[in-house]
Amino acid sequence: MDKVAVLEGLLFVIGEDGLSIEQIKEILEVEEEESKELIKKLREIYEEKTRGLRIDFLGNKIKLTTKREHKDFYKKLIENKETNTLSNSALETLAIIAYNQPITRLKVDELRGISSAQIVRKLVAKGLIKETGRSLDAGRPILYNTTSEFLDYFGMSTIEELPDIQEFLTKREEEKEVDLYNSKYKEK
């Protein structure tokens, strides 16, 4: 088994959270020197001009990031109308942030029941949400809020124009109630 390839996969899966050397040692069951050597080998691979990613050390974490010299192309992708649509997952994440702002990504994950790291990165890149500080919770996670671009995207002038969530939920419950007598489904 190629541990450099495994490390690459781990960094891809963990996304923006990155991995510490301690985590790499534990997961790959290697000593600290071997984990540093694996990181060095992977970093050398990504330093080649034919690669679009790189290894960054941010704080005490190792992360896969894009090469800065390609940023103009990434910007074009994000601004492209064809790739600028929002998936259902992105809309769900955006709604959670809009109704609960400021909110941490971990709280979004908790409410969605699935990791939102990649979606949050995309929403930040599209300018629909932004980092607005740090929570006082353990680890001081980043807080996110919607932006004026979010308001423009959805045709609102203020966040107060969001539909009332309780009203929406009540209406939805009422729609679910079916008059069995008038139902098109008849008992045989």
Side-chain angles (χ1 to χ4, degrees), residues 35-163:
S35 67
K36 288 179 179 179
E37 189 60 33
L38 293 169
I39 294 165
K40 182 181 172 193
K41 286 179 183 177
L42 187 58
R43 193 169 198 191
E44 287 170 359
I45 292 168
Y46 281 119
E47 285 176 355
E48 293 178 21
K49 291 185 190 281
T50 58
R51 305 305 298 249
L53 299 175
R54 57 185 262 152
I55 301 293
D56 268 335
F57 295 89
L58 302 168
N60 67 341
K61 302 281 185 159
I62 294 99
K63 301 179 182 187
L64 269 182
T65 61
T66 55
K67 289 188 175 178
R68 289 182 183 96
E69 58 266 28
H70 301 160
K71 71 179 179 186
D72 292 336
F73 297 101
Y74 305 137
K75 188 175 178 182
K76 284 181 185 178
L77 174 68
I78 290 167
E79 292 172 350
N80 183 327
K81 296 290 183 202
E82 291 177 20
T83 60
N84 207 9
T85 58
L86 296 174
S87 66
N88 287 338
S89 299
L91 287 171
E92 177 184 43
T93 302
L94 200 50
I96 289 170
I97 293 169
Y99 281 100
N100 296 285
Q101 58 188 315
I103 187 170
T104 65
R105 187 188 53 81
L106 293 174
K107 185 65 178 171
V108 172
D109 292 353
E110 184 182 310
L111 292 169
R112 288 190 68 228
I114 190 167
S115 175
S116 303
Q118 196 167 5
I119 294 170
V120 167
R121 270 196 309 273
K122 286 179 181 178
L123 293 173
V124 168
K126 288 179 186 270
L128 297 173
I129 62 172
K130 66 182 177 183
E131 297 177 7
T132 55
R134 297 258 178 192
S135 168
L136 297 177
D137 294 343
R140 306 222 352 115
I142 296 169
L143 290 168
Y144 294 95
N145 276 36
T146 56
T147 63
S148 56
E149 286 85 357
F150 164 83
L151 296 173
D152 292 345
Y153 189 91
F154 290 99
M156 296 183 287
S157 51
T158 69
I159 200 71
E160 284 75 30
E161 291 181 29
L162 277 172

